Amino acid sequence: MATSTPKEKTRKSSKLVLLVIALAVLGIAAGAAAYFYLGGKKQPKETVALPAEPIFVALEPFTVNLQPNDRRRFLHVAMALKVADAKSQAQLAQYLPEVRSRVLTVLSNRESESLLSADEKSRLANEIRAALNQPFAPNLAPAKIASVMFTTFMLQ
């Protein structure tokens, strides 16, 4: 039986120590690379689009007689229109007499009982918006009215 000499044991143990050190260094290097590659990179921040400044067109107040039921009633209402862009704002200013006429037509075709609840007022605002979003001339693009807001609403 052959026994190893102390010199051979020292070589084997030093090779083993070098192998362990090399593996440790490689592990540390791989961990550092993974950290800097995966964890160190910051995700790009999402850019939040700021909403455009709102454009409102205030209309002069309207006073209309409502459809008669058992007694005569009238409605006094003021409103503001929220438009999508400056082009729509300019278009409304240019066609203001027609804008007022369309609003008066929608308002005067109401009965007083149909304006008592919040849902009915919301429905009225949607009808006004639909009427005003129709083109004012045959070859003209319709105005882009986002919403109709009542600033005064008095039913007598």
Side-chain angles (χ1 to χ4, degrees):
M1 202 180 217
T3 60
S4 27
T5 63
K7 215 178 204 182
E8 289 177 10
K9 285 184 182 179
T10 309
R11 276 190 203 159
K12 285 183 182 178
S13 63
S14 66
K15 285 183 183 180
L16 183 62
V17 169
L18 284 175
L19 181 62
V20 169
I21 291 174
L23 288 175
V25 168
L26 284 175
I28 291 171
Y35 171 77
F36 286 113
Y37 182 72
L38 299 175
K41 286 187 178 180
K42 292 184 179 179
Q43 297 296 327
K45 292 183 180 179
E46 293 182 22
T47 56
V48 177
L50 296 175
E53 291 293 320
I55 301 173
F56 294 102
V57 177
L59 299 178
E60 290 184 29
F62 296 86
T63 302
V64 295
N65 291 320
L66 298 173
Q67 294 296 316
N69 280 343
D70 50 344
R71 62 184 184 164
R72 298 188 58 83
R73 297 190 87 175
F74 70 91
L75 174 67
H76 178 79
V77 64
M79 65 186 74
L81 309 174
K82 184 176 183 181
V83 295
D85 52 27
K87 183 178 176 183
S88 295
Q89 181 184 24
Q91 189 177 21
L92 289 173
Q94 181 180 3
Y95 287 92
L96 189 58
E98 190 166 347
V99 168
R100 289 190 58 81
S101 176
R102 288 183 186 186
V103 171
L104 283 170
T105 301
V106 172
L107 292 174
S108 64
N109 286 324
R110 290 277 189 232
E111 293 181 358
S112 60
E113 289 77 27
S114 71
L115 298 173
L116 297 176
S117 75
D119 289 339
E120 293 162 344
K121 291 174 187 170
S122 177
R123 193 173 307 123
L124 176 63
N126 287 333
E127 287 180 28
I128 292 170
R129 183 174 53 85
L132 295 178
N133 276 332
Q134 298 299 316
F136 292 112
N139 294 328
L140 188 65
K144 296 175 185 171
I145 299 172
S147 62
V148 174
M149 291 147 293
F150 297 114
T151 55
T152 302
F153 199 96
M154 184 170 51
L155 182 63
Q156 287 230 263

